[in-house]
Amino acid sequence: MNLLFKFLLFIFSLYILKANDGTFLSNGSIIYPINEIRVSLEKEILSFKCKDGIASVNVYFEFNNPESKPVKSIVGFVSPFYNNDLLEYNNPQNLIRKFVVNFNDKILPHSKKWTKCDTCQLNDFSNEMKEEEMSGQIVHLFDIEFKPGTNKISHSFEFSASSYVFLQEIYTYILQTGKKWAGGKIKDFTLEIDIGENQLLFIDDIFGKKADWKIIGSGKICNEKLKDDIFEDYNIKLVRLNSGSLMIHTSDFAPKKDIYFGLIDRTWFVSRLFNKGKFSEDFLIALSDIQYDDYYKEIQISDKDLQLLRNLIYAQYNYDFKNKEYKNFFSQFDWYMPDPNLKMDDINLSENHKKCLNRILELEKLKK
């Protein structure tokens, strides 16, 4: 089955995760986002741990109140509804789950309302919500009194990845709200992403030239950048993570864009969209057929491409091929990091790679 057609059998929606605390002014039943001109955002540490399409997020803030007296504020954490035709009764769902807010080492109570827009009326939730009401935003509200000096806020929550054609997992986080505090910038910002072992991460580089990028563990920041129409508004970098996480640090950061990262495919580091010219069309179609199609034995692929497909799996585990043809071929990809000390027997394949490898071996037997 054609790869593009198979992807289009699904309906993919990109849900933006609105986050990063902002200050609000309440006037009766109306809530307005405002700029806080006294309290500054001194530090933010944003950590993502992504597994099986679920992101567990921890956010740590340090705010400074330079006033000699406390500053009271309504702080809001906003997320969109998540609507899905498959959900029971098609009720709107909160994209964010297990939300907890901790202020100066104390867990705060918060209320949850919903609204159609930033300045629309706040509404209580009801089990009898009408279909036309199933849009807009969910607002987690909590009252804070910023004492003079340093104040610490932290959040923890989780949410599911979204998907798009040819992109298996997408994670987003609205960062521009950080400019709404005094000074219009985040003075000290750190982002850490742990997306699992043996992965190829894509991320929009919004952090500026002075940002420090590091791999905490094993991997590399790739020189290759993704360029395609769907990325025309992004500056996409690739990051090879063998183990550990990516850490980005910058200072005096006034974000102009929001965080956008994810995986093209957890199983294959290549795709039909981004690797035209490096593989045959039949090879790129086979990537999906081998992984998803129970009729994979019917795919049309040459013996040479079938061997290449099998060795692609081992290339993703950094096997150093003795065969010069394979080594030269995979060396054209910036993510390939051949390890001369790695033996074939030491490679621990994922369950999905085991399934794919078994299917490839079956096809090779059928062709003999």
Side-chain angles (χ1 to χ4, degrees), residues 116-132:
K116 286 184 176 292
C117 65
D118 286 341
T119 57
C120 294
Q121 179 176 336
L122 289 173
N123 299 279
D124 294 324
F125 285 88
S126 169
N127 293 328
E128 299 179 356
M129 295 176 70
K130 299 177 182 179
E131 184 176 352
E132 59 267 22

mmCIF file of all heavy atoms in Angstrom, residues 116-132:
data_model
loop_
_atom_site.group_PDB
_atom_site.id
_atom_site.type_symbol
_atom_site.label_atom_id
_atom_site.label_comp_id
_atom_site.label_asym_id
_atom_site.label_seq_id
_atom_site.Cartn_x
_atom_site.Cartn_y
_atom_site.Cartn_z
ATOM 1 N N LYS A 116 -13.912 30.536 25.703
ATOM 2 C CA LYS A 116 -13.743 30.456 24.261
ATOM 3 C C LYS A 116 -12.537 31.260 23.780
ATOM 4 O O LYS A 116 -12.015 31.018 22.700
ATOM 5 C CB LYS A 116 -15.005 30.935 23.540
ATOM 6 C CG LYS A 116 -16.171 29.948 23.605
ATOM 7 C CD LYS A 116 -17.354 30.448 22.794
ATOM 8 C CE LYS A 116 -18.472 29.417 22.779
ATOM 9 N NZ LYS A 116 -18.101 28.221 22.016
ATOM 10 N N CYS A 117 -12.118 32.270 24.566
ATOM 11 C CA CYS A 117 -10.986 33.097 24.152
ATOM 12 C C CYS A 117 -10.399 33.745 25.391
ATOM 13 O O CYS A 117 -10.941 33.642 26.496
ATOM 14 C CB CYS A 117 -11.423 34.150 23.134
ATOM 15 S SG CYS A 117 -12.574 35.381 23.807
ATOM 16 N N ASP A 118 -9.280 34.463 25.212
ATOM 17 C CA ASP A 118 -8.586 35.056 26.350
ATOM 18 C C ASP A 118 -9.444 36.047 27.115
ATOM 19 O O ASP A 118 -9.287 36.219 28.324
ATOM 20 C CB ASP A 118 -7.307 35.765 25.867
ATOM 21 C CG ASP A 118 -6.224 34.770 25.488
ATOM 22 O OD1 ASP A 118 -6.312 33.612 25.921
ATOM 23 O OD2 ASP A 118 -5.298 35.158 24.755
ATOM 24 N N THR A 119 -10.330 36.742 26.409
ATOM 25 C CA THR A 119 -11.119 37.786 27.058
ATOM 26 C C THR A 119 -12.606 37.446 27.112
ATOM 27 O O THR A 119 -13.436 38.321 27.341
ATOM 28 C CB THR A 119 -10.923 39.131 26.321
ATOM 29 O OG1 THR A 119 -11.272 38.976 24.947
ATOM 30 C CG2 THR A 119 -9.496 39.609 26.442
ATOM 31 N N CYS A 120 -12.934 36.185 26.881
ATOM 32 C CA CYS A 120 -14.335 35.762 26.934
ATOM 33 C C CYS A 120 -14.728 35.379 28.366
ATOM 34 O O CYS A 120 -13.877 35.202 29.236
ATOM 35 C CB CYS A 120 -14.576 34.565 26.011
ATOM 36 S SG CYS A 120 -14.363 34.933 24.252
ATOM 37 N N GLN A 121 -16.018 35.226 28.565
ATOM 38 C CA GLN A 121 -16.537 34.868 29.878
ATOM 39 C C GLN A 121 -16.039 33.501 30.320
ATOM 40 O O GLN A 121 -15.974 32.556 29.544
ATOM 41 C CB GLN A 121 -18.063 34.876 29.850
ATOM 42 C CG GLN A 121 -18.704 34.490 31.177
ATOM 43 C CD GLN A 121 -20.219 34.615 31.129
ATOM 44 O OE1 GLN A 121 -20.739 35.373 30.325
ATOM 45 N NE2 GLN A 121 -20.898 33.877 31.983
ATOM 46 N N LEU A 122 -15.675 33.411 31.596
ATOM 47 C CA LEU A 122 -15.281 32.132 32.170
ATOM 48 C C LEU A 122 -16.519 31.313 32.492
ATOM 49 O O LEU A 122 -17.521 31.852 32.951
ATOM 50 C CB LEU A 122 -14.466 32.346 33.438
ATOM 51 C CG LEU A 122 -13.048 32.894 33.244
ATOM 52 C CD1 LEU A 122 -12.431 33.201 34.586
ATOM 53 C CD2 LEU A 122 -12.202 31.910 32.479
ATOM 54 N N ASN A 123 -16.438 30.011 32.244
ATOM 55 C CA ASN A 123 -17.596 29.130 32.457
ATOM 56 C C ASN A 123 -17.211 27.956 33.346
ATOM 57 O O ASN A 123 -16.073 27.476 33.321
ATOM 58 C CB ASN A 123 -18.099 28.585 31.114
ATOM 59 C CG ASN A 123 -18.554 29.686 30.183
ATOM 60 O OD1 ASN A 123 -19.654 30.196 30.288
ATOM 61 N ND2 ASN A 123 -17.674 30.063 29.255
ATOM 62 N N ASP A 124 -18.182 27.482 34.111
ATOM 63 C CA ASP A 124 -18.011 26.242 34.857
ATOM 64 C C ASP A 124 -18.213 25.063 33.920
ATOM 65 O O ASP A 124 -18.866 25.167 32.883
ATOM 66 C CB ASP A 124 -19.024 26.167 35.998
ATOM 67 C CG ASP A 124 -18.782 27.233 37.051
ATOM 68 O OD1 ASP A 124 -17.604 27.537 37.319
ATOM 69 O OD2 ASP A 124 -19.769 27.761 37.588
ATOM 70 N N PHE A 125 -17.647 23.927 34.296
ATOM 71 C CA PHE A 125 -17.813 22.720 33.498
ATOM 72 C C PHE A 125 -19.172 22.078 33.770
ATOM 73 O O PHE A 125 -19.698 22.156 34.882
ATOM 74 C CB PHE A 125 -16.700 21.716 33.793
ATOM 75 C CG PHE A 125 -15.394 22.084 33.174
ATOM 76 C CD1 PHE A 125 -14.505 22.909 33.843
ATOM 77 C CD2 PHE A 125 -15.059 21.631 31.913
ATOM 78 C CE1 PHE A 125 -13.298 23.263 33.275
ATOM 79 C CE2 PHE A 125 -13.856 21.980 31.331
ATOM 80 C CZ PHE A 125 -12.975 22.802 32.016
ATOM 81 N N SER A 126 -19.708 21.421 32.740
ATOM 82 C CA SER A 126 -21.001 20.755 32.877
ATOM 83 C C SER A 126 -20.987 19.479 32.055
ATOM 84 O O SER A 126 -20.357 19.415 30.998
ATOM 85 C CB SER A 126 -22.130 21.676 32.384
ATOM 86 O OG SER A 126 -23.343 20.959 32.283
ATOM 87 N N ASN A 127 -21.672 18.466 32.554
ATOM 88 C CA ASN A 127 -21.780 17.209 31.810
ATOM 89 C C ASN A 127 -22.738 17.314 30.635
ATOM 90 O O ASN A 127 -22.867 16.388 29.838
ATOM 91 C CB ASN A 127 -22.245 16.073 32.733
ATOM 92 C CG ASN A 127 -21.213 15.721 33.780
ATOM 93 O OD1 ASN A 127 -20.011 15.827 33.524
ATOM 94 N ND2 ASN A 127 -21.668 15.317 34.953
ATOM 95 N N GLU A 128 -23.427 18.437 30.547
ATOM 96 C CA GLU A 128 -24.405 18.625 29.473
ATOM 97 C C GLU A 128 -23.975 19.746 28.528
ATOM 98 O O GLU A 128 -24.799 20.495 28.010
ATOM 99 C CB GLU A 128 -25.776 18.942 30.079
ATOM 100 C CG GLU A 128 -26.304 17.824 30.967
ATOM 101 C CD GLU A 128 -27.644 18.164 31.587
ATOM 102 O OE1 GLU A 128 -28.117 19.305 31.381
ATOM 103 O OE2 GLU A 128 -28.218 17.289 32.265
ATOM 104 N N MET A 129 -22.682 19.855 28.306
ATOM 105 C CA MET A 129 -22.180 20.901 27.409
ATOM 106 C C MET A 129 -22.624 20.630 25.982
ATOM 107 O O MET A 129 -22.616 19.486 25.525
ATOM 108 C CB MET A 129 -20.654 20.965 27.494
ATOM 109 C CG MET A 129 -20.134 21.390 28.851
ATOM 110 S SD MET A 129 -18.337 21.335 28.949
ATOM 111 C CE MET A 129 -17.923 22.698 27.876
ATOM 112 N N LYS A 130 -23.020 21.670 25.288
ATOM 113 C CA LYS A 130 -23.458 21.544 23.904
ATOM 114 C C LYS A 130 -22.257 21.424 22.973
ATOM 115 O O LYS A 130 -21.161 21.864 23.282
ATOM 116 C CB LYS A 130 -24.314 22.748 23.516
ATOM 117 C CG LYS A 130 -25.583 22.895 24.349
ATOM 118 C CD LYS A 130 -26.348 24.144 23.960
ATOM 119 C CE LYS A 130 -27.604 24.307 24.824
ATOM 120 N NZ LYS A 130 -28.340 25.545 24.472
ATOM 121 N N GLU A 131 -22.518 20.845 21.809
ATOM 122 C CA GLU A 131 -21.426 20.607 20.864
ATOM 123 C C GLU A 131 -20.706 21.890 20.484
ATOM 124 O O GLU A 131 -19.482 21.915 20.367
ATOM 125 C CB GLU A 131 -21.981 19.926 19.603
ATOM 126 C CG GLU A 131 -20.905 19.538 18.600
ATOM 127 C CD GLU A 131 -21.483 18.773 17.423
ATOM 128 O OE1 GLU A 131 -22.676 18.428 17.474
ATOM 129 O OE2 GLU A 131 -20.740 18.549 16.474
ATOM 130 N N GLU A 132 -21.471 22.990 20.310
ATOM 131 C CA GLU A 132 -20.843 24.244 19.907
ATOM 132 C C GLU A 132 -19.978 24.844 21.011
ATOM 133 O O GLU A 132 -19.198 25.763 20.779
ATOM 134 C CB GLU A 132 -21.907 25.262 19.473
ATOM 135 C CG GLU A 132 -22.925 25.613 20.537
ATOM 136 C CD GLU A 132 -24.167 24.742 20.451
ATOM 137 O OE1 GLU A 132 -24.083 23.627 19.873
ATOM 138 O OE2 GLU A 132 -25.226 25.176 20.925
#
